[in-house]
Amino acid sequence: MLKKFKRLNNFFHPEVNKIDMNFSPFAMTVNGKVLQVMQATDNDIPALLVLEKAVYSGHTPWSSFSFESELKKRKNSLYLVVYQASTLVAFIGARFHPREAHITNIAVAPDYQGQHIGRRLLELMIDRARKNESECVSLEVKIDNDVAKRLYESIGFEATFIRKNYYQDTHTDAVNMILWLKPHQIKRRKLTF
Ligand SMILES: CC(C)(COP(=O)(O)OP(=O)(O)OC[C@H]1O[C@@H](n2cnc3c(N)ncnc32)[C@H](O)[C@@H]1OP(=O)(O)O)[C@@H](O)C(=O)NCCC(=O)NCCS
């Protein structure tokens, strides 16, 4: 999960953005349940905060303000929410750049975890990055978040480097992980745990 917001503006190169950010809502079936996948709006923020509290032991790493400011960046951001009827069960966010897509956040409600909803949401963003001809997809994950790391590794993400003390509230390090979509020149040392 991305900790900071302002930094990303510099993180991505100021190139003309020709990325297709259109998104058409769709339904998917998971274990017999019909889930609606749609683009997040400000109306989803209260439910997003409830979901965060459910997965982060009562904490909200992203405040209402963080969500609001991210949801405004529609030119190169895509935030998706997944509902079963009126219950928010998951969300994912990503920033897209011609060369790199960055997964900024992902969470699946406890009762819905382990049913490949997270994997499907990641694959959706990866497909979009591939269609946009991005070279890679990156993300940050807490160093001790073994479930998430296993999921990312099973998709093909490689741990590259550690950001010390990245999450200042818990003083936890983050691991940067990259999924290469194209042959690449940049050599980033692969970390093993
Ligand atoms: C990380 C997270 C998004 C994964 O979503 P998910 O829908 O549960 O993950 P998936 O079902 O797609 O599968 C992930 C893999 O981990 C396993 N897994 C998922 N949840 C698990 C759990 N609670 N305990 C053990 N294993 C779990 C699954 O079995 C699956 O492995 P498989 O493909 O070999 O069957 C979800 O656990 C979550 O919301 N965690 C809290 C928030 C978080 O940590 N976000 C990541 C920030 S970087």
Side-chain angles (χ1 to χ4, degrees), residues 1-8 60-63 66 69-70 79 102-105 139-142 163-174:
M1 182 208 305
L2 186 75
K3 177 195 64 170
K4 292 169 185 162
F5 301 92
K6 284 188 178 160
R7 279 186 52 197
L8 261 187
T60 52
W62 279 26
S63 64
S66 313
S69 63
E70 278 300 288
Y79 281 83
H102 190 86
I103 306 293
T104 58
N105 210 337
L139 55 81
E140 264 90 34
V141 56
K142 267 188 185 168
R163 293 187 189 278
K164 296 294 283 180
N165 215 15
Y166 185 71
Y167 301 103
Q168 281 150 8
D169 50 343
T170 50
H171 301 285
T172 320
D173 298 344

Side-chain angles (χ1 to χ4, degrees), residues 1 55-56 106-108 113-119 140-141 145 147-148 150-152:
M1 182 208 305
V55 297
Y56 294 119
I106 178 170
V108 176
Q113 289 179 8
Q115 300 175 51
H116 297 156
I117 296 171
R119 180 182 297 276
E140 264 90 34
V141 56
N145 191 343
V147 170
R150 264 203 311 274
L151 168 61
Y152 303 146

